[in-house]
Amino acid sequence: SRRTAADGPSNDPDRWSCWSVGGAAIASGHLWIGALSDCAVSGGPTDQQLQRSGSFDGPSAAVRLDLTCGSLTVATSTGANWALDAAYRGPAPIVDSSSSRLDLRVSGGGSARRNDWTISLPSAVGVLSITANAATATLQFPDGHVASLDVDMNAGDLRIDATHGAVDVVDLSMNAGRIRLDAGSSVLGGDVSVNAGAFDLCVPDGVGLRLEVTNQLTFVHNLAARGLSRSGDTWTRPAAAGAPIVTLSIDGGAASFSLNPVGGCR
């Protein structure tokens, strides 16, 4: 049978050249992190602190975070309370909250100033929406439940740890960066798009997989090497008895997708 780009690089010089252009950048691992270190000259270290807290009246609350330049750490905990600990430089971030929502964003105007946010959320959240530019984000859901996770990042590094929690639906978009998703043993569906970057997905043995993957020369993956079966653009692995199924639509350009990479998704 004829080998395609979706099977990974071949010995064809032209194909290997295309792999190298995107793959070399991806393999460097921290290529994009240099752009994040100071968020341009004006980023600078943080020198001020802001703390806020509140509570939601139910599990369907919407949380929206908009960050330019810096880092974001989000974790779920027991109870209905949320808490923000923000280190920042320049204007203070804007916090707008009620019993059903939390909106947090950097102050507009002027050059980007560094913000480092640590946010604790209740164990159940309806929508968690994140927009970030030149930032790193770590999302941890220990025993937590997020119904919908929507992340749009540019020049970023995103890690999602749902090994002991649950995320029902994801919509993840990364331009010039990396996504690492540790899905755990829960039902998961949605879309992932990566341009000029990498996507790592970790799932336990026994969890079923149904992955629709764009077949193009500049988007490579290891699904054949991981033993998945292919039908057109769909790659599958049967679930063990009673195990959940992860169903994702994945696409990218000048990017790579690795299922259960060596060393995990950390």
Side-chain angles (χ1 to χ4, degrees), residues 201-218:
L201 172 65
C202 291
V203 295
D205 293 339
V207 171
L209 294 170
R210 182 178 178 83
L211 308 174
E212 294 186 8
V213 181
T214 300
N215 180 17
Q216 63 161 305
L217 190 60
T218 62

PDB file of all heavy atoms in Angstrom, residues 201-218:
ATOM      1  N   LEU A 201      -1.692  13.690  23.675  1.00  0.00           N
ATOM      2  CA  LEU A 201      -2.889  13.165  24.325  1.00  0.00           C
ATOM      3  C   LEU A 201      -2.529  11.884  25.073  1.00  0.00           C
ATOM      4  O   LEU A 201      -1.950  10.966  24.482  1.00  0.00           O
ATOM      5  CB  LEU A 201      -3.979  12.873  23.289  1.00  0.00           C
ATOM      6  CG  LEU A 201      -5.229  12.145  23.797  1.00  0.00           C
ATOM      7  CD1 LEU A 201      -5.999  13.012  24.790  1.00  0.00           C
ATOM      8  CD2 LEU A 201      -6.126  11.735  22.622  1.00  0.00           C
ATOM      9  N   CYS A 202      -2.865  11.829  26.359  1.00  0.00           N
ATOM     10  CA  CYS A 202      -2.620  10.640  27.153  1.00  0.00           C
ATOM     11  C   CYS A 202      -3.945  10.071  27.639  1.00  0.00           C
ATOM     12  O   CYS A 202      -4.766  10.806  28.208  1.00  0.00           O
ATOM     13  CB  CYS A 202      -1.724  10.958  28.347  1.00  0.00           C
ATOM     14  SG  CYS A 202      -0.017  11.351  27.889  1.00  0.00           S
ATOM     15  N   VAL A 203      -4.155   8.783  27.399  1.00  0.00           N
ATOM     16  CA  VAL A 203      -5.338   8.082  27.894  1.00  0.00           C
ATOM     17  C   VAL A 203      -4.900   6.730  28.447  1.00  0.00           C
ATOM     18  O   VAL A 203      -3.962   6.120  27.936  1.00  0.00           O
ATOM     19  CB  VAL A 203      -6.396   7.882  26.783  1.00  0.00           C
ATOM     20  CG1 VAL A 203      -6.946   9.217  26.315  1.00  0.00           C
ATOM     21  CG2 VAL A 203      -5.811   7.116  25.609  1.00  0.00           C
ATOM     22  N   PRO A 204      -5.569   6.249  29.475  1.00  0.00           N
ATOM     23  CA  PRO A 204      -5.201   4.957  30.061  1.00  0.00           C
ATOM     24  C   PRO A 204      -5.539   3.802  29.113  1.00  0.00           C
ATOM     25  O   PRO A 204      -6.374   3.922  28.213  1.00  0.00           O
ATOM     26  CB  PRO A 204      -6.043   4.883  31.335  1.00  0.00           C
ATOM     27  CG  PRO A 204      -6.519   6.273  31.591  1.00  0.00           C
ATOM     28  CD  PRO A 204      -6.623   6.915  30.249  1.00  0.00           C
ATOM     29  N   ASP A 205      -4.896   2.662  29.352  1.00  0.00           N
ATOM     30  CA  ASP A 205      -5.242   1.448  28.621  1.00  0.00           C
ATOM     31  C   ASP A 205      -6.699   1.108  28.882  1.00  0.00           C
ATOM     32  O   ASP A 205      -7.218   1.282  29.987  1.00  0.00           O
ATOM     33  CB  ASP A 205      -4.360   0.277  29.081  1.00  0.00           C
ATOM     34  CG  ASP A 205      -2.900   0.468  28.713  1.00  0.00           C
ATOM     35  OD1 ASP A 205      -2.631   1.259  27.794  1.00  0.00           O
ATOM     36  OD2 ASP A 205      -2.053  -0.175  29.359  1.00  0.00           O
ATOM     37  N   GLY A 206      -7.368   0.624  27.861  1.00  0.00           N
ATOM     38  CA  GLY A 206      -8.763   0.230  27.998  1.00  0.00           C
ATOM     39  C   GLY A 206      -9.749   1.285  27.578  1.00  0.00           C
ATOM     40  O   GLY A 206     -10.879   0.971  27.177  1.00  0.00           O
ATOM     41  N   VAL A 207      -9.370   2.554  27.657  1.00  0.00           N
ATOM     42  CA  VAL A 207     -10.247   3.637  27.197  1.00  0.00           C
ATOM     43  C   VAL A 207     -10.343   3.577  25.671  1.00  0.00           C
ATOM     44  O   VAL A 207      -9.328   3.475  24.974  1.00  0.00           O
ATOM     45  CB  VAL A 207      -9.720   5.005  27.644  1.00  0.00           C
ATOM     46  CG1 VAL A 207     -10.498   6.137  26.991  1.00  0.00           C
ATOM     47  CG2 VAL A 207      -9.794   5.131  29.165  1.00  0.00           C
ATOM     48  N   GLY A 208     -11.561   3.628  25.156  1.00  0.00           N
ATOM     49  CA  GLY A 208     -11.748   3.587  23.715  1.00  0.00           C
ATOM     50  C   GLY A 208     -11.388   4.906  23.063  1.00  0.00           C
ATOM     51  O   GLY A 208     -11.443   5.961  23.691  1.00  0.00           O
ATOM     52  N   LEU A 209     -11.035   4.845  21.790  1.00  0.00           N
ATOM     53  CA  LEU A 209     -10.657   6.036  21.047  1.00  0.00           C
ATOM     54  C   LEU A 209     -11.370   6.065  19.697  1.00  0.00           C
ATOM     55  O   LEU A 209     -11.440   5.052  18.989  1.00  0.00           O
ATOM     56  CB  LEU A 209      -9.142   6.072  20.812  1.00  0.00           C
ATOM     57  CG  LEU A 209      -8.246   6.228  22.044  1.00  0.00           C
ATOM     58  CD1 LEU A 209      -6.794   5.989  21.667  1.00  0.00           C
ATOM     59  CD2 LEU A 209      -8.418   7.606  22.659  1.00  0.00           C
ATOM     60  N   ARG A 210     -11.871   7.235  19.366  1.00  0.00           N
ATOM     61  CA  ARG A 210     -12.383   7.497  18.022  1.00  0.00           C
ATOM     62  C   ARG A 210     -11.874   8.884  17.637  1.00  0.00           C
ATOM     63  O   ARG A 210     -12.394   9.900  18.112  1.00  0.00           O
ATOM     64  CB  ARG A 210     -13.907   7.443  17.965  1.00  0.00           C
ATOM     65  CG  ARG A 210     -14.462   7.679  16.556  1.00  0.00           C
ATOM     66  CD  ARG A 210     -15.966   7.579  16.510  1.00  0.00           C
ATOM     67  NE  ARG A 210     -16.472   7.861  15.174  1.00  0.00           N
ATOM     68  CZ  ARG A 210     -16.531   6.977  14.171  1.00  0.00           C
ATOM     69  NH1 ARG A 210     -16.117   5.734  14.391  1.00  0.00           N
ATOM     70  NH2 ARG A 210     -16.991   7.325  12.991  1.00  0.00           N
ATOM     71  N   LEU A 211     -10.857   8.936  16.817  1.00  0.00           N
ATOM     72  CA  LEU A 211     -10.162  10.172  16.493  1.00  0.00           C
ATOM     73  C   LEU A 211     -10.259  10.451  14.996  1.00  0.00           C
ATOM     74  O   LEU A 211      -9.788   9.658  14.181  1.00  0.00           O
ATOM     75  CB  LEU A 211      -8.687  10.068  16.904  1.00  0.00           C
ATOM     76  CG  LEU A 211      -8.424   9.627  18.355  1.00  0.00           C
ATOM     77  CD1 LEU A 211      -6.937   9.431  18.579  1.00  0.00           C
ATOM     78  CD2 LEU A 211      -9.002  10.624  19.346  1.00  0.00           C
ATOM     79  N   GLU A 212     -10.889  11.566  14.668  1.00  0.00           N
ATOM     80  CA  GLU A 212     -10.929  12.007  13.273  1.00  0.00           C
ATOM     81  C   GLU A 212      -9.787  12.977  13.065  1.00  0.00           C
ATOM     82  O   GLU A 212      -9.762  14.057  13.654  1.00  0.00           O
ATOM     83  CB  GLU A 212     -12.277  12.660  12.962  1.00  0.00           C
ATOM     84  CG  GLU A 212     -13.454  11.699  13.016  1.00  0.00           C
ATOM     85  CD  GLU A 212     -14.738  12.334  12.564  1.00  0.00           C
ATOM     86  OE1 GLU A 212     -14.698  13.481  12.058  1.00  0.00           O
ATOM     87  OE2 GLU A 212     -15.799  11.698  12.723  1.00  0.00           O
ATOM     88  N   VAL A 213      -8.830  12.584  12.236  1.00  0.00           N
ATOM     89  CA  VAL A 213      -7.584  13.318  12.110  1.00  0.00           C
ATOM     90  C   VAL A 213      -7.380  13.770  10.673  1.00  0.00           C
ATOM     91  O   VAL A 213      -7.445  12.954   9.739  1.00  0.00           O
ATOM     92  CB  VAL A 213      -6.387  12.450  12.555  1.00  0.00           C
ATOM     93  CG1 VAL A 213      -5.087  13.229  12.458  1.00  0.00           C
ATOM     94  CG2 VAL A 213      -6.590  11.955  13.988  1.00  0.00           C
ATOM     95  N   THR A 214      -7.137  15.070  10.501  1.00  0.00           N
ATOM     96  CA  THR A 214      -6.862  15.614   9.179  1.00  0.00           C
ATOM     97  C   THR A 214      -5.633  14.945   8.583  1.00  0.00           C
ATOM     98  O   THR A 214      -4.596  14.839   9.232  1.00  0.00           O
ATOM     99  CB  THR A 214      -6.624  17.133   9.257  1.00  0.00           C
ATOM    100  OG1 THR A 214      -7.792  17.758   9.783  1.00  0.00           O
ATOM    101  CG2 THR A 214      -6.307  17.707   7.878  1.00  0.00           C
ATOM    102  N   ASN A 215      -5.767  14.482   7.351  1.00  0.00           N
ATOM    103  CA  ASN A 215      -4.661  13.820   6.675  1.00  0.00           C
ATOM    104  C   ASN A 215      -4.001  14.805   5.722  1.00  0.00           C
ATOM    105  O   ASN A 215      -4.483  15.046   4.631  1.00  0.00           O
ATOM    106  CB  ASN A 215      -5.167  12.590   5.907  1.00  0.00           C
ATOM    107  CG  ASN A 215      -4.051  11.868   5.175  1.00  0.00           C
ATOM    108  OD1 ASN A 215      -2.880  12.067   5.468  1.00  0.00           O
ATOM    109  ND2 ASN A 215      -4.421  11.030   4.233  1.00  0.00           N
ATOM    110  N   GLN A 216      -2.919  15.434   6.172  1.00  0.00           N
ATOM    111  CA  GLN A 216      -2.182  16.335   5.309  1.00  0.00           C
ATOM    112  C   GLN A 216      -0.696  16.237   5.616  1.00  0.00           C
ATOM    113  O   GLN A 216      -0.296  15.798   6.697  1.00  0.00           O
ATOM    114  CB  GLN A 216      -2.668  17.776   5.448  1.00  0.00           C
ATOM    115  CG  GLN A 216      -2.485  18.379   6.825  1.00  0.00           C
ATOM    116  CD  GLN A 216      -2.535  19.895   6.788  1.00  0.00           C
ATOM    117  OE1 GLN A 216      -1.793  20.533   6.065  1.00  0.00           O
ATOM    118  NE2 GLN A 216      -3.440  20.472   7.579  1.00  0.00           N
ATOM    119  N   LEU A 217       0.115  16.679   4.673  1.00  0.00           N
ATOM    120  CA  LEU A 217       1.550  16.448   4.734  1.00  0.00           C
ATOM    121  C   LEU A 217       2.208  17.096   5.939  1.00  0.00           C
ATOM    122  O   LEU A 217       3.161  16.563   6.493  1.00  0.00           O
ATOM    123  CB  LEU A 217       2.204  16.972   3.436  1.00  0.00           C
ATOM    124  CG  LEU A 217       3.665  16.619   3.210  1.00  0.00           C
ATOM    125  CD1 LEU A 217       3.867  15.119   3.169  1.00  0.00           C
ATOM    126  CD2 LEU A 217       4.169  17.258   1.916  1.00  0.00           C
ATOM    127  N   THR A 218       1.735  18.257   6.364  1.00  0.00           N
ATOM    128  CA  THR A 218       2.409  18.982   7.445  1.00  0.00           C
ATOM    129  C   THR A 218       1.789  18.728   8.814  1.00  0.00           C
ATOM    130  O   THR A 218       2.048  19.469   9.756  1.00  0.00           O
ATOM    131  CB  THR A 218       2.411  20.498   7.162  1.00  0.00           C
ATOM    132  OG1 THR A 218       1.050  20.969   7.108  1.00  0.00           O
ATOM    133  CG2 THR A 218       3.129  20.809   5.864  1.00  0.00           C
TER     134      THR A 218
END
